[in-house]
Amino acid sequence: MTTAVRSFGLSLPDYPWEAMAPYLARAAEHPGGAVNLSIGTPVDPTPAVIQEALRAAADAPGYPTVHGTPALREAIAGWFARRRGVEGLDPRDVMPTVGSKELVAWLPFLLGLKPGDVVVRPTVAYPTYDIGATFSGATAVAADDLDELDAATRAKVRLVWVNSPGNPTGSVRDAASLRKIVDQAREIGALVASDECYAELGWGEWDLQRRGEAVPSILDPRVAGGSHDGLLAVYSLSKQSNLAGYRAAFVAGDSAIMANLVNSRKHAGMIVPYPVQEAMRVALGDDGHVQAQKDLYRGRRERILPALEGFGLQIHESSAGLYLWCTAGEATWDTVARLAERGIVVGPGVFYGDAGNGYVRVALTGSDERIDAAVARLAVAR
């Protein structure tokens, strides 16, 4: 007599990008092949100085430290002071993570959130914020301001996600807007976690190299008010340094919360490999490659943005980051299909919440050749 095996596994929604298969196939039929601008994966080489740091640290027989080497944590603190206007960050209050998506997905669980708790995320947002809430049993609620919530929901909020610059919209919160969120959260005893991985990629008024203002961090004194209590900043080197394949990111902020996260991650073995830690240390000390990569993205953006407008798309927000947030005033999938006919693959706005319907996300992460191919295809008479 056999006993029926019970089912195992998490009950999660299907990974949304699987729905892109027919559009990828249609775009691939174009004589010049597909121009895939749907996912923001870097395509340019990892800078040589970082590759050399990885090779130099390749002899690493011992276990790495969860908290990160002292040298790496000093480099992170120095980077915050030099690039983000956050002076005096204690190196004890930073930690490397296995990419930023891992931290986003597991933070609610590691914070001890439970059923009945509420996680607030932006109205149009990266879907992993919702998945993280699911992992902990908490409820995700979409809002861009805590004043949008009713009193009963607001009382249950334990974690507020801020994403500035935003994915997919490219929106940027100024210091006053961030300060308002911080004040609201502190009033109800909630934590604010800020996903800032596109902060080096500001355009227009946020383009520091073109006399713009630097994108502010949640730990900026204008925002934090002299205390990092209840605040965490999350950052990734994937975009600024072409390190997506290294899974190189970090989190910093509230001393007590950081100490607890370090301890919990020790128990779980959530560790960035030592060679990657060394590569991160070197990357954070070299601003030249960051500027060179931004210049590449700026050129690609300046070429494809008018081509998209000429095709009939309106560009909304898109003040920073690796994406253009576009609408043709029609259903998302209609725009996706029309662009696939031109051999161009874009990201459906509906993947980022109900408020994304009618929009598509166009990544700047094609090579120069692929971006130029897209520009030429968009110019062909309809």
Side-chain angles (χ1 to χ4, degrees):
M1 182 177 183
T2 60
T3 302
V5 178
R6 291 175 294 174
S7 62
F8 293 92
L10 299 174
S11 179
L12 298 176
D14 291 338
Y15 194 60
W17 289 96
E18 302 299 331
M20 289 298 296
Y23 303 97
L24 286 163
R26 182 68 187 93
E29 295 173 358
H30 191 279
V35 176
N36 193 337
L37 304 179
S38 63
I39 299 179
T41 185
V43 298
D44 299 304
T46 299
V49 65
I50 302 174
Q51 293 189 48
E52 179 54 39
L54 187 77
R55 283 191 290 267
D59 185 11
Y63 289 111
T65 170
V66 168
H67 199 180
T69 66
L72 171 57
R73 288 186 278 116
E74 289 282 357
I76 294 171
W79 176 86
F80 265 108
R82 189 176 72 255
R83 305 294 295 187
R84 308 305 311 281
V86 180
E87 299 280 354
L89 182 62
D90 192 326
R92 291 176 295 183
D93 298 337
V94 300
M95 175 178 55
T97 63
V98 190
S100 59
K101 183 173 183 176
E102 168 259 294
L103 192 280
V104 170
W106 290 108
L107 184 62
F109 178 82
L110 292 172
L111 292 173
L113 270 61
K114 58 188 183 300
D117 293 333
V118 167
V119 175
V120 176
R121 53 86 165 167
T123 303
V124 182
Y126 187 50
T128 307
Y129 303 125
D130 286 348
I131 295 299
T134 299
F135 283 164
S136 70
T139 300
V141 173
D144 296 315
D145 187 309
L146 297 191
D147 288 342
E148 299 171 15
L149 305 178
D150 61 63
T153 301
R154 186 170 173 142
K156 298 176 184 177
V157 174
R158 298 290 310 285
L159 173 62
V160 180
W161 275 110
V162 172
N163 182 206
S164 176
N167 174 15
T169 64
S171 62
V172 176
R173 286 184 177 269
D174 62 19
S177 173
L178 289 172
R179 181 59 189 260
K180 180 181 179 183
I181 287 283
V182 168
D183 289 345
Q184 290 174 327
R186 284 175 169 168
E187 182 180 333
I188 60 175
L191 170 70
V192 180
S194 180
D195 182 352
E196 302 177 353
C197 69
Y198 298 95
E200 291 277 12
L201 296 168
W203 314 116
E205 66 179 305
W206 300 107
D207 192 342
L208 191 61
Q209 292 73 35
R210 297 288 178 90
R211 300 184 180 180
E213 180 183 348
V215 173
S217 170
I218 202 77
L219 303 183
D220 186 305
R222 295 173 297 169
V223 176
S227 168
H228 295 162
D229 290 353
L231 306 178
L232 293 177
V234 182
Y235 193 76
S236 167
L237 301 187
S238 293
K239 315 304 183 185
Q240 72 159 49
S241 301
N242 297 332
L243 287 186
Y246 285 47
R247 312 312 300 132
F250 51 84
V251 59
D254 185 300
S255 296
I257 293 172
M258 285 301 304
N260 186 270
L261 288 175
V262 170
N263 183 60
S264 297
R265 292 171 70 89
K266 286 179 179 178
H267 283 291
M270 301 168 95
I271 313 173
V272 175
Y274 173 74
V276 175
Q277 293 193 33
E278 275 296 282
M280 290 175 65
R281 178 185 64 78
V282 170
L284 289 165
D286 181 76
D287 295 339
H289 79 271
V290 180
Q291 183 59 54
Q293 187 60 47
K294 182 175 180 178
D295 288 344
L296 283 175
Y297 285 135
R298 185 190 287 106
R300 293 164 184 168
R301 183 178 188 273
E302 290 175 349
R303 298 201 299 281
I304 199 167
L305 192 155
L308 291 166
E309 291 178 325
F311 185 71
L313 297 177
Q314 295 179 353
I315 313 300
H316 287 227
E317 301 186 87
S318 306
S319 300
L322 288 179
Y323 312 108
L324 295 171
W325 186 236
C326 314
T327 181
E330 62 188 359
T332 285
W333 292 108
D334 290 344
T335 307
V336 171
R338 288 199 298 117
L339 287 166
E341 291 291 328
R342 300 290 180 101
I344 301 169
V345 186
V346 297
V350 293
F351 286 180
Y352 303 94
D354 293 341
N357 190 23
Y359 291 84
V360 295
R361 190 191 75 170
V362 182
L364 306 177
T365 50
S367 66
D368 285 335
E369 183 276 329
R370 289 286 82 187
I371 291 291
D372 291 340
V375 169
R377 295 175 190 187
L378 290 166
V380 174
R382 284 173 277 179

